[in-house]
Amino acid sequence: MVRIETVDIPGSGRGLVSATPIAAGELVLRESPVTLTVTQTLHRAVCAYCLRYIAEGAAVECTGCKQASFCNERCQQRACRQAHTATICHSTAKAGLDNLDPETADQARFIIQAQDLIDPEHQGGALWRKKALALLQSADEDHADTAEVLKWAEKYFGAEKWQKWKVAARKLASQDRINSYGIMAPLGPHGERRIRGSGVYPMSSLLNHDCMPNVARYDYFDGPQEDNSIVEFRALHDIPADTQITQSYFPLSWSFEDRQQRCKAQYGFTCSCDRCQVEQHWQGASDDEASDAAGFSVASDHVEGRGQRQTGAAEQKVRHDGEAESEPARALQQGAEGSLRQERDQCSKEGRSQEREGQHGKSDGGVNRDLDEQQGMNEGSHADSAEDSAEDHEVPDEAYIMAYLGRHVCPQELPAANEEEGVCGGTMTPVGVHGDAYACNMCGFERLESERLAELEKMYQAVAQEVQ
């Protein structure tokens, strides 16, 4: 059974660490949301309770605030006990959301829901939700992204009540910015993506960022199950005990520059993960060549956020006019060979790990703990060993990064009309423990890892023949 613990991570605040070995494809965390909020621009098209898209002509609109719609009367009745109580409805009606820009309105929706949970004058929400909200991380200083919603909050609460709620509102705005997960809508007819709403998952919010994460998030908002708002995190590869559990805050396919910019602008830190330490020194080959070496499909040239690495040197490309001995050509051959070798080594290691560990952790039981049990996890027993492990580990080389990206970036082509996107770029994770099948957490595309490795072998042979 998987066990994870909350520890203090030097330089990163609280985080989650594996207390037991975790197998590739294994369920690491399963959690229900504290809050779910629909985005302002879609509040008539998306259910305010389950965040499913509402069938045409079937919407049940809230006649009180006119700011919430539901799939059916059942969703509306359930929302009255949680996501859209009478107090939330009244507060939403007077909030003036239509007069705000969409981003500010979305933040305001969270504050209204959170107020209903923490205001002693209100009776909304289960006790575990109140406790979870109080424990969410927040920043000590205001962020530029929360300036407008705090201006709104001052008017919303009124002069007298604002003095009581000023500190709480600032904390809530910070908690929303730091902890909320964007809930993506299904791909549009031309492959376009948009956010339908957001959710706060308290344990999941403790997962720190890494540009080569070891877990990926899966959600099932469009599934038939009643608990469609539950999210799951599954292991991309084997995770030893005493290892920090990490996720990526954006697609794995983004370039070094784009990743650094997003981390700094939105999250307030400079990423110095292993991948960033290596990629900041990359020279010679473009992103597209590196993608080819990793085994991406040709369409991945247009992965969202991908750009050329700026190294200060002139851009170099593999030439096809007989200059077989050029440095870029040799680099590409070596990259493809190293990527394939790394893939084989990684598969071999996972095979030995599976033999050594037997059938450990195949049961998903015990992962979805209630809040009190989560709170009771030992916060210190694995902190020292996790820190020691971080100090002892070696920074991966370029071949490992290429192998990792080739294995875990979804190559599924999007509709041709969306040329800017090119491919899905979601994260591929094993289906089942040590499974050969991998599935994308964004579009659902599946492929066999053994087939991908065979294609990579062919690609390497073709590149080797071309360079010779």
Side-chain angles (χ1 to χ4, degrees), residues 86-141:
T87 308
I88 292 176
C89 181
H90 175 74
S91 299
T92 304
K94 70 171 188 175
L97 299 180
D98 288 333
N99 300 323
L100 302 175
D101 67 85
E103 183 177 352
T104 303
D106 293 346
Q107 294 170 316
R109 284 177 175 270
F110 171 79
I111 290 178
I112 290 170
Q113 275 204 35
Q115 178 197 7
D116 191 53
L117 287 174
I118 66 177
D119 192 337
E121 297 179 5
H122 298 180
Q123 300 297 321
L127 179 61
W128 76 268
R129 296 180 188 277
K130 299 176 187 287
K131 294 168 66 177
L133 185 64
L135 292 169
L136 291 177
Q137 299 185 82
S138 61
D140 295 331
E141 299 180 358

Side-chain angles (χ1 to χ4, degrees), residues 18-325:
S18 58
T20 57
I22 300 172
E26 195 164 14
L27 179 64
V28 177
L29 177 63
R30 188 171 189 263
E31 187 174 27
S32 298
V34 174
T35 64
L36 279 181
T37 55
V38 64
T39 189
Q40 180 67 18
T41 56
L42 293 175
H43 75 268
R44 289 186 172 85
V46 173
C47 179
Y49 176 73
C50 67
L51 292 193
R52 290 188 177 96
Y53 268 81
I54 303 172
E56 186 175 354
V60 177
E61 185 181 33
C62 174
T63 57
C65 66
K66 301 188 183 301
Q67 289 290 328
S69 299
F70 304 94
C71 295
N72 46 51
E73 291 184 356
R74 185 180 185 186
C75 272
Q76 184 181 33
Q77 292 170 359
R78 292 184 171 185
C80 287
R81 299 191 296 269
Q82 179 178 314
H84 199 69
T85 65
T87 308
I88 292 176
C89 181
H90 175 74
S91 299
T92 304
K94 70 171 188 175
L97 299 180
D98 288 333
N99 300 323
L100 302 175
D101 67 85
E103 183 177 352
T104 303
D106 293 346
Q107 294 170 316
R109 284 177 175 270
F110 171 79
I111 290 178
I112 290 170
Q113 275 204 35
Q115 178 197 7
D116 191 53
L117 287 174
I118 66 177
D119 192 337
E121 297 179 5
H122 298 180
Q123 300 297 321
L127 179 61
W128 76 268
R129 296 180 188 277
K130 299 176 187 287
K131 294 168 66 177
L133 185 64
L135 292 169
L136 291 177
Q137 299 185 82
S138 61
D140 295 331
E141 299 180 358
D142 293 340
H143 190 276
D145 290 348
T146 63
E148 291 302 315
V149 76
L150 291 177
K151 291 179 183 177
W152 163 85
E154 185 172 0
K155 295 178 181 178
Y156 165 76
F157 284 105
E160 182 178 346
K161 203 170 183 179
W162 178 242
Q163 295 306 312
K164 171 186 174 183
W165 277 91
K166 179 164 42 174
V167 174
R170 294 171 111 172
K171 182 177 181 180
L172 291 174
S174 177
Q175 288 175 326
D176 178 44
R177 184 181 69 83
I178 293 175
N179 299 286
S180 288
Y181 282 93
I183 309 300
M184 302 299 295
L187 292 178
H190 303 301
E192 65 272 15
R193 295 179 171 128
R194 65 190 305 188
I195 291 178
R196 71 176 88 179
S198 62
V200 172
Y201 297 81
M203 286 295 292
S204 304
S205 69
L206 294 176
L207 292 168
N208 288 315
H209 167 75
D210 195 291
C211 296
M212 288 202 306
N214 49 30
V215 298
R217 182 188 68 163
Y218 286 76
D219 62 50
Y220 310 95
F221 281 91
D222 297 303
Q225 62 272 31
E226 286 200 8
D227 55 351
N228 71 314
S229 61
I230 285 177
V231 297
E232 297 180 346
F233 289 83
R234 293 189 173 271
L236 273 67
H237 50 73
D238 287 347
I239 304 172
D242 303 323
T243 301
Q244 183 179 185
I245 308 299
T246 58
Q247 62 177 324
S248 178
Y249 292 169
F250 31 74
L252 301 180
S253 55
W254 280 19
S255 70
F256 170 76
E257 290 83 2
D258 288 336
R259 300 196 314 270
Q260 289 289 319
Q261 191 277 333
R262 175 61 67 87
C263 284
K264 192 67 176 176
Q266 184 165 344
Y267 302 104
F269 68 91
T270 298
C271 184
S272 58
C273 70
D274 290 347
R275 181 181 172 190
C276 286
Q277 290 183 49
V278 173
E279 289 188 10
Q280 68 179 334
H281 300 299
W282 271 358
Q283 295 182 358
S286 71
D287 279 349
D288 297 339
E289 291 166 353
S291 297
D292 291 339
F296 295 168
S297 66
V298 176
S300 67
D301 294 349
H302 305 289
V303 171
E304 178 184 0
R306 180 171 294 282
Q308 303 301 319
R309 293 187 182 88
Q310 304 301 319
T311 65
E315 179 182 337
Q316 301 175 343
K317 290 180 179 290
V318 175
R319 298 181 61 178
H320 304 283
D321 56 3
E323 297 185 18
E325 293 305 312

